[in-house]
Each structure stands twice: as C-alpha cells, then as structure tokens.
Amino acid sequence: MTDDIVASVVRQWQAVNPGLDTGPMEIIGRINRCAALLQQAEDAPLRSAGLTRAEFDLLGAVRRTDRELTPGELARETFSSGAAVTKRLRALQDRALVERRGDDRDRRVAHVRLTDEGRALVDRLLPEQLAYESTVLAGLDGDARDELGAGLSELLVQLEGRLGGARR
C-alpha cells in the first residue's frame, strides 16, 4: 500500500519528537484531508446544475422532510448559521426553486417550500449525485465501505454528544 500524505507528516513528527503520540493525527488528519479533497473536487452533478453543496442541502432538507420548513429549521437541518441560510434561500428564490410565505399568526416567521421546479431538480439531481459519490468511493469494496461507514457513524455520534450539534 502506498503512503498517503498524512503518513509522511506523521513520520516527520516522529523523527523530531519520537515520543509523540500521533495516533489522533492519523485519524483526524486523514478525515480532514479526505474532506478537503472532496470539497476541492466539488460535486459534479451539482456544479453542472449551478448549485453549491450548501444550496443543494437546503433543497434536499425541504424535499426529504416533505413539508414546509422555517429558516430556523433549515439552519438546524443543515448545520448552518441563520445568516447563511437566509443568503442561500434568497439565491434559490431568485432561481424560482423555493417559495417563502409568511406565517398567518406571526409575521416574523417565514415558511419555505419547494416550487415544482425545485422539487423536479432535487428529484433529478439526487440519483446523479449518489452515482457520482459511488464513483468517488469505487476504490473501496463493499466490506471496506461498510466498515468505514460504521466507524465514521460511531465517531459522529460521540462527537455530536460531546461537542454539540446533535439532532433532535
């Protein structure tokens, strides 16, 4: 197996500080490096539709819950700030992918729903995006994917419990 960039960094640290426990770096460093490479590559189907991952996440949240959501609910669903959600919603509304309507009882509250065009776009893009993601993971066999998925899930549950961001 070929060394990755993190293995090289670990060797360098061990050379200058042999007693240093680099175990955490070997995991966190690889997760961060994978995330950076995935973000660099961007998401081809989303990019071809003129969407960012964050915009698609908002559209997907409304689609998968199958109901109107408030901007606050969207922020929680997508782990985004309220300001970021507002900015993305404005762009998606300008493209006629979402609609906002005011609340009947509280004028400060808005409800967001997909337009027919927005729903059709999500329904078209999601299978393409999943196929793209499968291609990205094609170098791993089924067992390796399952093991990696289970390990990352376990880590995520622990981090959400300790660092916040747990859902529901």
Side-chain angles (χ1 to χ4, degrees):
M1 185 164 122
T2 310
D3 274 355
D4 59 40
I5 188 70
V6 175
S8 175
V9 169
V10 165
R11 274 196 309 278
Q12 291 169 341
W13 276 116
Q14 289 173 341
V16 297
N17 191 342
L20 192 64
D21 176 12
T22 57
M25 179 187 301
E26 294 178 45
I27 296 170
I28 303 296
R30 286 185 175 101
I31 290 171
N32 287 338
R33 182 71 177 146
C34 285
L37 288 169
L38 289 169
Q39 287 174 346
Q40 258 179 16
E42 293 189 26
D43 300 299
L46 303 183
R47 192 175 57 243
S48 71
L51 290 174
T52 66
R53 167 60 80 164
E55 290 169 337
F56 185 71
D57 286 348
L58 284 179
L59 295 172
V62 177
R63 180 67 176 112
R64 75 175 182 266
T65 59
D66 203 27
R67 65 180 178 87
E68 293 181 344
L69 296 173
T70 66
E73 289 171 325
L74 281 168
R76 285 188 296 279
E77 284 289 325
T78 60
F79 306 105
S80 301
S81 71
V85 167
T86 298
K87 179 181 175 184
R88 292 174 192 137
L89 284 175
R90 194 173 304 119
L92 294 170
Q93 193 171 9
D94 289 347
R95 291 184 57 189
L97 299 174
V98 298
E99 295 174 334
R100 293 188 217 201
R101 71 167 183 83
D103 189 270
D104 298 333
R105 293 175 301 212
D106 187 345
R107 292 178 14 185
R108 296 169 297 174
V109 177
H111 297 274
V112 178
R113 69 176 174 229
L114 294 177
T115 62
D116 289 342
E117 184 180 342
R119 178 182 293 261
L121 182 64
V122 172
D123 289 350
R124 177 179 64 80
L125 282 179
L126 185 58
E128 291 177 25
Q129 183 62 26
L130 291 172
Y132 169 78
E133 290 173 1
S134 290
T135 301
V136 168
L137 297 173
L140 300 174
D141 68 26
D143 289 342
R145 287 169 74 163
D146 291 346
E147 188 176 330
L148 179 60
L152 289 172
S153 177
E154 186 177 330
L155 176 62
L156 182 58
V157 167
Q158 290 179 23
L159 291 175
E160 286 178 340
R162 281 188 280 147
L163 303 178
R167 295 172 59 181
R168 291 186 245 286

PDB file of all heavy atoms in Angstrom, residues 33-59:
ATOM      1  N   ARG A  33      -8.169  15.608   5.446  1.00  0.00           N
ATOM      2  CA  ARG A  33      -7.607  15.566   4.082  1.00  0.00           C
ATOM      3  C   ARG A  33      -8.646  15.038   3.093  1.00  0.00           C
ATOM      4  O   ARG A  33      -8.800  15.583   1.997  1.00  0.00           O
ATOM      5  CB  ARG A  33      -6.340  14.706   4.078  1.00  0.00           C
ATOM      6  CG  ARG A  33      -5.657  14.623   2.737  1.00  0.00           C
ATOM      7  CD  ARG A  33      -5.002  15.913   2.338  1.00  0.00           C
ATOM      8  NE  ARG A  33      -4.326  15.712   1.070  1.00  0.00           N
ATOM      9  CZ  ARG A  33      -4.213  16.629   0.141  1.00  0.00           C
ATOM     10  NH1 ARG A  33      -4.684  17.845   0.352  1.00  0.00           N
ATOM     11  NH2 ARG A  33      -3.606  16.367  -0.996  1.00  0.00           N
ATOM     12  N   CYS A  34      -9.362  13.989   3.477  1.00  0.00           N
ATOM     13  CA  CYS A  34     -10.422  13.465   2.605  1.00  0.00           C
ATOM     14  C   CYS A  34     -11.481  14.540   2.362  1.00  0.00           C
ATOM     15  O   CYS A  34     -11.921  14.747   1.223  1.00  0.00           O
ATOM     16  CB  CYS A  34     -11.065  12.223   3.218  1.00  0.00           C
ATOM     17  SG  CYS A  34     -10.058  10.729   3.120  1.00  0.00           S
ATOM     18  N   ALA A  35     -11.887  15.232   3.431  1.00  0.00           N
ATOM     19  CA  ALA A  35     -12.908  16.276   3.296  1.00  0.00           C
ATOM     20  C   ALA A  35     -12.421  17.381   2.364  1.00  0.00           C
ATOM     21  O   ALA A  35     -13.173  17.854   1.501  1.00  0.00           O
ATOM     22  CB  ALA A  35     -13.277  16.848   4.665  1.00  0.00           C
ATOM     23  N   ALA A  36     -11.162  17.774   2.512  1.00  0.00           N
ATOM     24  CA  ALA A  36     -10.616  18.837   1.660  1.00  0.00           C
ATOM     25  C   ALA A  36     -10.594  18.404   0.191  1.00  0.00           C
ATOM     26  O   ALA A  36     -10.952  19.180  -0.692  1.00  0.00           O
ATOM     27  CB  ALA A  36      -9.207  19.220   2.128  1.00  0.00           C
ATOM     28  N   LEU A  37     -10.177  17.173  -0.062  1.00  0.00           N
ATOM     29  CA  LEU A  37     -10.137  16.682  -1.447  1.00  0.00           C
ATOM     30  C   LEU A  37     -11.538  16.580  -2.039  1.00  0.00           C
ATOM     31  O   LEU A  37     -11.756  16.926  -3.204  1.00  0.00           O
ATOM     32  CB  LEU A  37      -9.426  15.335  -1.521  1.00  0.00           C
ATOM     33  CG  LEU A  37      -7.914  15.393  -1.316  1.00  0.00           C
ATOM     34  CD1 LEU A  37      -7.342  13.986  -1.149  1.00  0.00           C
ATOM     35  CD2 LEU A  37      -7.241  16.120  -2.469  1.00  0.00           C
ATOM     36  N   LEU A  38     -12.486  16.113  -1.250  1.00  0.00           N
ATOM     37  CA  LEU A  38     -13.862  16.017  -1.735  1.00  0.00           C
ATOM     38  C   LEU A  38     -14.436  17.394  -2.029  1.00  0.00           C
ATOM     39  O   LEU A  38     -15.137  17.588  -3.018  1.00  0.00           O
ATOM     40  CB  LEU A  38     -14.737  15.271  -0.721  1.00  0.00           C
ATOM     41  CG  LEU A  38     -14.452  13.779  -0.621  1.00  0.00           C
ATOM     42  CD1 LEU A  38     -15.178  13.186   0.586  1.00  0.00           C
ATOM     43  CD2 LEU A  38     -14.832  13.054  -1.896  1.00  0.00           C
ATOM     44  N   GLN A  39     -14.117  18.380  -1.177  1.00  0.00           N
ATOM     45  CA  GLN A  39     -14.596  19.736  -1.424  1.00  0.00           C
ATOM     46  C   GLN A  39     -13.915  20.355  -2.635  1.00  0.00           C
ATOM     47  O   GLN A  39     -14.546  21.076  -3.402  1.00  0.00           O
ATOM     48  CB  GLN A  39     -14.384  20.606  -0.190  1.00  0.00           C
ATOM     49  CG  GLN A  39     -15.357  20.265   0.914  1.00  0.00           C
ATOM     50  CD  GLN A  39     -15.068  21.004   2.201  1.00  0.00           C
ATOM     51  OE1 GLN A  39     -14.000  21.583   2.382  1.00  0.00           O
ATOM     52  NE2 GLN A  39     -16.014  20.980   3.115  1.00  0.00           N
ATOM     53  N   GLN A  40     -12.632  20.066  -2.811  1.00  0.00           N
ATOM     54  CA  GLN A  40     -11.912  20.571  -3.984  1.00  0.00           C
ATOM     55  C   GLN A  40     -12.512  20.030  -5.272  1.00  0.00           C
ATOM     56  O   GLN A  40     -12.684  20.751  -6.243  1.00  0.00           O
ATOM     57  CB  GLN A  40     -10.448  20.122  -3.927  1.00  0.00           C
ATOM     58  CG  GLN A  40      -9.502  21.166  -3.493  1.00  0.00           C
ATOM     59  CD  GLN A  40      -8.079  20.607  -3.458  1.00  0.00           C
ATOM     60  OE1 GLN A  40      -7.776  19.560  -4.014  1.00  0.00           O
ATOM     61  NE2 GLN A  40      -7.204  21.333  -2.792  1.00  0.00           N
ATOM     62  N   ALA A  41     -12.811  18.741  -5.274  1.00  0.00           N
ATOM     63  CA  ALA A  41     -13.365  18.111  -6.470  1.00  0.00           C
ATOM     64  C   ALA A  41     -14.761  18.648  -6.752  1.00  0.00           C
ATOM     65  O   ALA A  41     -15.220  18.615  -7.880  1.00  0.00           O
ATOM     66  CB  ALA A  41     -13.420  16.593  -6.281  1.00  0.00           C
ATOM     67  N   GLU A  42     -15.374  19.169  -5.717  1.00  0.00           N
ATOM     68  CA  GLU A  42     -16.753  19.633  -5.775  1.00  0.00           C
ATOM     69  C   GLU A  42     -17.644  18.490  -6.208  1.00  0.00           C
ATOM     70  O   GLU A  42     -17.218  17.360  -6.358  1.00  0.00           O
ATOM     71  CB  GLU A  42     -16.912  20.848  -6.688  1.00  0.00           C
ATOM     72  CG  GLU A  42     -16.214  22.078  -6.145  1.00  0.00           C
ATOM     73  CD  GLU A  42     -16.558  23.316  -6.933  1.00  0.00           C
ATOM     74  OE1 GLU A  42     -17.627  23.372  -7.548  1.00  0.00           O
ATOM     75  OE2 GLU A  42     -15.737  24.229  -6.921  1.00  0.00           O
ATOM     76  N   ASP A  43     -18.865  18.796  -6.369  1.00  0.00           N
ATOM     77  CA  ASP A  43     -19.832  17.781  -6.727  1.00  0.00           C
ATOM     78  C   ASP A  43     -20.283  18.041  -8.155  1.00  0.00           C
ATOM     79  O   ASP A  43     -21.053  18.965  -8.417  1.00  0.00           O
ATOM     80  CB  ASP A  43     -21.007  17.838  -5.750  1.00  0.00           C
ATOM     81  CG  ASP A  43     -20.558  17.595  -4.315  1.00  0.00           C
ATOM     82  OD1 ASP A  43     -20.028  16.508  -4.061  1.00  0.00           O
ATOM     83  OD2 ASP A  43     -20.720  18.485  -3.469  1.00  0.00           O
ATOM     84  N   ALA A  44     -19.792  17.221  -9.067  1.00  0.00           N
ATOM     85  CA  ALA A  44     -20.014  17.456 -10.498  1.00  0.00           C
ATOM     86  C   ALA A  44     -21.485  17.641 -10.871  1.00  0.00           C
ATOM     87  O   ALA A  44     -21.812  18.611 -11.568  1.00  0.00           O
ATOM     88  CB  ALA A  44     -19.373  16.334 -11.305  1.00  0.00           C
ATOM     89  N   PRO A  45     -22.388  16.773 -10.450  1.00  0.00           N
ATOM     90  CA  PRO A  45     -23.790  16.986 -10.846  1.00  0.00           C
ATOM     91  C   PRO A  45     -24.366  18.298 -10.309  1.00  0.00           C
ATOM     92  O   PRO A  45     -25.123  18.980 -11.001  1.00  0.00           O
ATOM     93  CB  PRO A  45     -24.519  15.777 -10.238  1.00  0.00           C
ATOM     94  CG  PRO A  45     -23.470  14.737 -10.072  1.00  0.00           C
ATOM     95  CD  PRO A  45     -22.213  15.506  -9.753  1.00  0.00           C
ATOM     96  N   LEU A  46     -23.987  18.639  -9.093  1.00  0.00           N
ATOM     97  CA  LEU A  46     -24.498  19.883  -8.512  1.00  0.00           C
ATOM     98  C   LEU A  46     -23.927  21.084  -9.254  1.00  0.00           C
ATOM     99  O   LEU A  46     -24.639  22.035  -9.569  1.00  0.00           O
ATOM    100  CB  LEU A  46     -24.147  19.968  -7.028  1.00  0.00           C
ATOM    101  CG  LEU A  46     -24.627  18.808  -6.156  1.00  0.00           C
ATOM    102  CD1 LEU A  46     -24.268  19.055  -4.696  1.00  0.00           C
ATOM    103  CD2 LEU A  46     -26.108  18.564  -6.323  1.00  0.00           C
ATOM    104  N   ARG A  47     -22.643  21.028  -9.515  1.00  0.00           N
ATOM    105  CA  ARG A  47     -21.985  22.128 -10.229  1.00  0.00           C
ATOM    106  C   ARG A  47     -22.599  22.321 -11.609  1.00  0.00           C
ATOM    107  O   ARG A  47     -22.832  23.451 -12.041  1.00  0.00           O
ATOM    108  CB  ARG A  47     -20.484  21.846 -10.326  1.00  0.00           C
ATOM    109  CG  ARG A  47     -19.669  23.034 -10.786  1.00  0.00           C
ATOM    110  CD  ARG A  47     -18.173  22.767 -10.771  1.00  0.00           C
ATOM    111  NE  ARG A  47     -17.812  21.627 -11.589  1.00  0.00           N
ATOM    112  CZ  ARG A  47     -17.254  20.505 -11.131  1.00  0.00           C
ATOM    113  NH1 ARG A  47     -16.983  20.375  -9.856  1.00  0.00           N
ATOM    114  NH2 ARG A  47     -16.955  19.523 -11.951  1.00  0.00           N
ATOM    115  N   SER A  48     -22.921  21.208 -12.280  1.00  0.00           N
ATOM    116  CA  SER A  48     -23.498  21.323 -13.623  1.00  0.00           C
ATOM    117  C   SER A  48     -24.886  21.955 -13.573  1.00  0.00           C
ATOM    118  O   SER A  48     -25.334  22.541 -14.549  1.00  0.00           O
ATOM    119  CB  SER A  48     -23.556  19.962 -14.312  1.00  0.00           C
ATOM    120  OG  SER A  48     -24.537  19.148 -13.708  1.00  0.00           O
ATOM    121  N   ALA A  49     -25.562  21.841 -12.424  1.00  0.00           N
ATOM    122  CA  ALA A  49     -26.881  22.463 -12.261  1.00  0.00           C
ATOM    123  C   ALA A  49     -26.771  23.873 -11.687  1.00  0.00           C
ATOM    124  O   ALA A  49     -27.790  24.516 -11.437  1.00  0.00           O
ATOM    125  CB  ALA A  49     -27.748  21.603 -11.355  1.00  0.00           C
ATOM    126  N   GLY A  50     -25.533  24.343 -11.476  1.00  0.00           N
ATOM    127  CA  GLY A  50     -25.332  25.683 -10.941  1.00  0.00           C
ATOM    128  C   GLY A  50     -25.624  25.805  -9.467  1.00  0.00           C
ATOM    129  O   GLY A  50     -25.918  26.902  -8.967  1.00  0.00           O
ATOM    130  N   LEU A  51     -25.526  24.692  -8.734  1.00  0.00           N
ATOM    131  CA  LEU A  51     -25.789  24.698  -7.298  1.00  0.00           C
ATOM    132  C   LEU A  51     -24.529  24.406  -6.513  1.00  0.00           C
ATOM    133  O   LEU A  51     -23.668  23.642  -6.965  1.00  0.00           O
ATOM    134  CB  LEU A  51     -26.808  23.605  -6.934  1.00  0.00           C
ATOM    135  CG  LEU A  51     -28.236  23.785  -7.369  1.00  0.00           C
ATOM    136  CD1 LEU A  51     -29.037  22.526  -7.045  1.00  0.00           C
ATOM    137  CD2 LEU A  51     -28.870  24.999  -6.705  1.00  0.00           C
ATOM    138  N   THR A  52     -24.448  24.985  -5.340  1.00  0.00           N
ATOM    139  CA  THR A  52     -23.404  24.606  -4.398  1.00  0.00           C
ATOM    140  C   THR A  52     -23.928  23.453  -3.552  1.00  0.00           C
ATOM    141  O   THR A  52     -25.136  23.194  -3.506  1.00  0.00           O
ATOM    142  CB  THR A  52     -23.041  25.774  -3.465  1.00  0.00           C
ATOM    143  OG1 THR A  52     -24.183  26.071  -2.632  1.00  0.00           O
ATOM    144  CG2 THR A  52     -22.603  27.010  -4.245  1.00  0.00           C
ATOM    145  N   ARG A  53     -23.047  22.765  -2.868  1.00  0.00           N
ATOM    146  CA  ARG A  53     -23.453  21.688  -1.957  1.00  0.00           C
ATOM    147  C   ARG A  53     -24.393  22.250  -0.886  1.00  0.00           C
ATOM    148  O   ARG A  53     -25.404  21.632  -0.542  1.00  0.00           O
ATOM    149  CB  ARG A  53     -22.213  21.049  -1.335  1.00  0.00           C
ATOM    150  CG  ARG A  53     -22.490  20.144  -0.150  1.00  0.00           C
ATOM    151  CD  ARG A  53     -23.371  18.977  -0.449  1.00  0.00           C
ATOM    152  NE  ARG A  53     -22.638  17.917  -1.073  1.00  0.00           N
ATOM    153  CZ  ARG A  53     -23.085  16.677  -1.157  1.00  0.00           C
ATOM    154  NH1 ARG A  53     -24.235  16.345  -0.640  1.00  0.00           N
ATOM    155  NH2 ARG A  53     -22.390  15.766  -1.768  1.00  0.00           N
ATOM    156  N   ALA A  54     -24.081  23.428  -0.366  1.00  0.00           N
ATOM    157  CA  ALA A  54     -24.906  24.028   0.689  1.00  0.00           C
ATOM    158  C   ALA A  54     -26.315  24.350   0.188  1.00  0.00           C
ATOM    159  O   ALA A  54     -27.300  24.146   0.908  1.00  0.00           O
ATOM    160  CB  ALA A  54     -24.229  25.278   1.231  1.00  0.00           C
ATOM    161  N   GLU A  55     -26.421  24.840  -1.039  1.00  0.00           N
ATOM    162  CA  GLU A  55     -27.746  25.114  -1.612  1.00  0.00           C
ATOM    163  C   GLU A  55     -28.525  23.821  -1.813  1.00  0.00           C
ATOM    164  O   GLU A  55     -29.724  23.743  -1.513  1.00  0.00           O
ATOM    165  CB  GLU A  55     -27.612  25.869  -2.937  1.00  0.00           C
ATOM    166  CG  GLU A  55     -27.129  27.291  -2.778  1.00  0.00           C
ATOM    167  CD  GLU A  55     -26.744  27.944  -4.101  1.00  0.00           C
ATOM    168  OE1 GLU A  55     -26.426  27.221  -5.073  1.00  0.00           O
ATOM    169  OE2 GLU A  55     -26.753  29.182  -4.139  1.00  0.00           O
ATOM    170  N   PHE A  56     -27.840  22.794  -2.319  1.00  0.00           N
ATOM    171  CA  PHE A  56     -28.499  21.505  -2.523  1.00  0.00           C
ATOM    172  C   PHE A  56     -28.949  20.910  -1.194  1.00  0.00           C
ATOM    173  O   PHE A  56     -30.014  20.297  -1.112  1.00  0.00           O
ATOM    174  CB  PHE A  56     -27.582  20.535  -3.273  1.00  0.00           C
ATOM    175  CG  PHE A  56     -28.250  19.237  -3.616  1.00  0.00           C
ATOM    176  CD1 PHE A  56     -29.235  19.182  -4.588  1.00  0.00           C
ATOM    177  CD2 PHE A  56     -27.911  18.066  -2.957  1.00  0.00           C
ATOM    178  CE1 PHE A  56     -29.872  17.987  -4.906  1.00  0.00           C
ATOM    179  CE2 PHE A  56     -28.535  16.872  -3.267  1.00  0.00           C
ATOM    180  CZ  PHE A  56     -29.519  16.833  -4.244  1.00  0.00           C
ATOM    181  N   ASP A  57     -28.145  21.091  -0.152  1.00  0.00           N
ATOM    182  CA  ASP A  57     -28.526  20.598   1.169  1.00  0.00           C
ATOM    183  C   ASP A  57     -29.821  21.245   1.651  1.00  0.00           C
ATOM    184  O   ASP A  57     -30.665  20.578   2.257  1.00  0.00           O
ATOM    185  CB  ASP A  57     -27.410  20.831   2.187  1.00  0.00           C
ATOM    186  CG  ASP A  57     -26.235  19.885   2.001  1.00  0.00           C
ATOM    187  OD1 ASP A  57     -26.356  18.893   1.247  1.00  0.00           O
ATOM    188  OD2 ASP A  57     -25.176  20.144   2.616  1.00  0.00           O
ATOM    189  N   LEU A  58     -29.982  22.545   1.388  1.00  0.00           N
ATOM    190  CA  LEU A  58     -31.233  23.219   1.758  1.00  0.00           C
ATOM    191  C   LEU A  58     -32.410  22.648   0.976  1.00  0.00           C
ATOM    192  O   LEU A  58     -33.461  22.335   1.551  1.00  0.00           O
ATOM    193  CB  LEU A  58     -31.142  24.722   1.499  1.00  0.00           C
ATOM    194  CG  LEU A  58     -30.343  25.566   2.471  1.00  0.00           C
ATOM    195  CD1 LEU A  58     -30.348  27.021   2.033  1.00  0.00           C
ATOM    196  CD2 LEU A  58     -30.892  25.446   3.870  1.00  0.00           C
ATOM    197  N   LEU A  59     -32.239  22.518  -0.331  1.00  0.00           N
ATOM    198  CA  LEU A  59     -33.311  21.953  -1.159  1.00  0.00           C
ATOM    199  C   LEU A  59     -33.635  20.530  -0.703  1.00  0.00           C
ATOM    200  O   LEU A  59     -34.802  20.150  -0.591  1.00  0.00           O
ATOM    201  CB  LEU A  59     -32.905  21.949  -2.636  1.00  0.00           C
ATOM    202  CG  LEU A  59     -32.711  23.305  -3.305  1.00  0.00           C
ATOM    203  CD1 LEU A  59     -32.132  23.125  -4.707  1.00  0.00           C
ATOM    204  CD2 LEU A  59     -34.013  24.086  -3.349  1.00  0.00           C
TER     205      LEU A  59
END
